[in-house]
Amino acid sequence: SIIRTMARGAFIVLEGLDRAGKSTQVSMIVEALKERNVPVERRVFPDRSTAIGGIINDYLAKKIELAPEAVHLLFSANRWECKDGILETLEKGTTLIVDRYAASGAAYSAATTGRPLSWCTSPDQGLPAPDLVLYLDVTPDTQQQRSNWGEERFERAETQRKVAENFRKLSESGNWAFVEAGLDKLEVHQKLLQKVLDLLEGCKDKPIGKLYE
Ligand code: NYM
Ligand code: MG
């Protein structure tokens, strides 16, 4: 077996409904870690830059129609095609801050297909598991006040309500922390950063887990 000579990076995911502020907060965390000389990279799912991501993008932008189950499998395939890249990054000691991941996959698809969460989590089984999921908890009022609300598919109050319920169920397994998303963005950042810093030392010697195993 390979002797690990270097600490691995941490795998941290930000989750939440649309307009929770995840992308802004990912940027702020990445900048804060860089200032502390922590090797860090960001990723976003869906990764719209790949061929599969292009189909997902066209679907979300309402340019094409697809069966919701087929879209679900594309979202999962989009994570699987990034699996080796994720592992290489973590193994070289770089921490990853990721904007959405498997929980979004299951929470949205369970709402849009009506299929059980267990059906929705199964294609992601075995993917690298996050060390920490930071959930940005946003209210419907705050969502609707934020820019471009309602443009993409799934941006409807009823869908979002179901998705939120699914996120709550998913948060019962794994290491999740909830942060109120309606606060001032610096206040949200400070809360998130504290949780990230608390985690960083602790996971260096732990092997990277596998989702739903
Ligand atoms: N989404 C995202 C899914 O339905 N399944 C997934 O696996 C992922 C990663 O895509 N409404 C949905 C959630 C969002 C949409 O993401 C696009 P974003 O972060 O809003 O650009
Ligand atoms: Mg969105």
Side-chain angles (χ1 to χ4, degrees):
S1 71
I2 298 164
I3 297 165
R4 189 180 291 284
T5 54
M6 198 175 48
R8 71 164 172 97
F11 183 11
I12 297 165
V13 173
L14 268 74
E15 286 284 11
L17 299 176
D18 291 281
R19 302 301 177 286
K22 293 180 299 300
S23 310
T24 305
Q25 293 297 333
V26 165
S27 301
M28 292 171 84
I29 295 168
V30 167
E31 286 318 304
L33 293 182
K34 282 184 179 164
E35 276 169 25
R36 287 169 170 75
N37 296 315
V38 176
V40 62
E41 286 175 22
R42 70 185 290 166
R43 267 184 187 270
V44 57
F45 288 104
D47 179 342
R48 302 186 197 219
S49 73
T50 70
I52 293 168
I55 303 173
I56 293 172
N57 181 60
D58 287 349
Y59 174 78
L60 289 171
K62 304 177 187 169
K63 287 183 191 158
I64 56 170
E65 294 298 323
L66 284 169
E69 288 85 351
V71 175
H72 178 61
L73 297 174
L74 290 176
F75 275 116
S76 179
N78 188 229
R79 284 183 282 280
W80 281 104
E81 67 181 336
C82 296
K83 184 199 96 177
D84 290 347
I86 290 173
L87 291 177
E88 280 161 22
T89 303
L90 297 174
E91 278 160 8
K92 76 176 182 199
T94 299
T95 285
L96 267 177
I97 310 294
V98 183
D99 188 341
R100 293 192 189 278
Y101 190 58
S104 278
Y108 280 81
S109 291
T112 57
T113 64
R115 294 188 184 273
L117 270 178
S118 58
W119 188 92
C120 296
T121 54
S122 67
D124 286 330
Q125 189 180 344
L127 279 172
D131 295 301
L132 173 65
V133 178
L134 295 168
Y135 185 80
L136 280 176
D137 202 359
V138 69
T139 64
D141 281 351
T142 302
Q143 278 182 301
Q144 284 155 27
Q145 284 158 19
R146 291 182 174 172
S147 61
N148 306 323
W149 175 250
E151 262 177 25
E152 278 202 336
R153 232 181 265 265
F154 314 151
E155 294 181 357
R156 300 169 51 241
E158 177 58 12
T159 305
Q160 298 282 319
R161 191 192 57 73
K162 289 186 200 161
V163 174
E165 204 178 295
N166 294 332
F167 272 129
R168 301 226 166 246
K169 288 182 193 152
L170 291 163
S171 73
E172 286 162 18
S173 53
N175 183 22
W176 286 56
F178 280 61
V179 171
E180 202 186 313
L183 304 172
D184 172 77
K185 78 176 176 190
L186 256 177
E187 232 178 304
V188 175
H189 170 65
Q190 276 149 8
K191 287 179 194 282
L192 294 175
L193 184 62
Q194 194 52 58
K195 294 181 193 297
V196 168
L197 295 174
D198 289 347
L199 177 88
L200 281 186
E201 284 303 308
C203 70
K204 280 182 177 167
D205 306 316
K206 285 189 202 149
I208 301 160
K210 288 187 176 178
L211 265 180
Y212 311 130
E213 281 185 1

